[in-house]
Amino acid sequence: MDRPAATDETPLDVRLTDAAALEFDQVLALYDAVGWTAYTSSPETVSAALSGSTAIAVAHAGTELVGLARVISDGASICYLQDVLVRPAFQRRGIGRRLVRSPTFGKRSC
């Protein structure tokens, strides 16, 4: 479904969340919107991956999920940014940067 392009004035809510709080249909739609069909072809794998993530940051425009970033860590020495997704209509607006730089994202994840 085509969506109107976001404007620089589109209000965004960027925050940390956990997998249980995500609306899974919106997560799958976001992965699909960016063409990550290897994820969307196996929803149960996506669910397990999100549940196993150390930290998840999300961006919402109103009630629509428009961005997601997740970190995986062993809690001791390894920490990496696994996914950064931004819905195409909202790209080039700094949303990915805001997700990755979310104030407590790094503190919670590594």
Side-chain angles (χ1 to χ4, degrees):
M1 169 167 60
D2 290 332
R3 299 186 184 275
T7 66
D8 290 333
E9 294 82 35
T10 302
L12 293 172
D13 175 27
V14 176
R15 66 182 182 277
L16 288 174
T17 191
D18 59 31
L22 293 169
E23 291 187 40
F24 196 63
D25 290 343
Q26 285 198 21
V27 172
L28 288 178
L30 178 60
Y31 276 92
D32 190 53
V34 298
W36 290 18
T37 56
Y39 282 74
T40 58
S41 66
S42 178
E44 50 286 332
T45 301
V46 175
S47 179
L50 291 169
S51 294
S53 298
T54 305
I56 301 170
V58 293
H60 283 88
T63 60
E64 180 182 16
L65 178 66
V66 298
L68 180 145
R70 68 186 188 103
V71 166
I72 298 172
S73 173
D74 64 10
S77 64
I78 303 296
C79 177
Y80 64 92
L81 185 61
Q82 173 61 34
D83 298 341
V84 179
L85 302 90
V86 176
R87 185 172 290 283
F90 288 81
Q91 291 177 358
R92 313 294 306 166
R93 308 275 181 217
I95 296 170
R97 182 179 316 118
R98 286 180 61 190
L99 287 166
V100 172
R101 292 182 177 171
S102 197
T104 57
F105 198 44
K107 293 177 187 172
R108 181 173 172 191
S109 55
C110 300

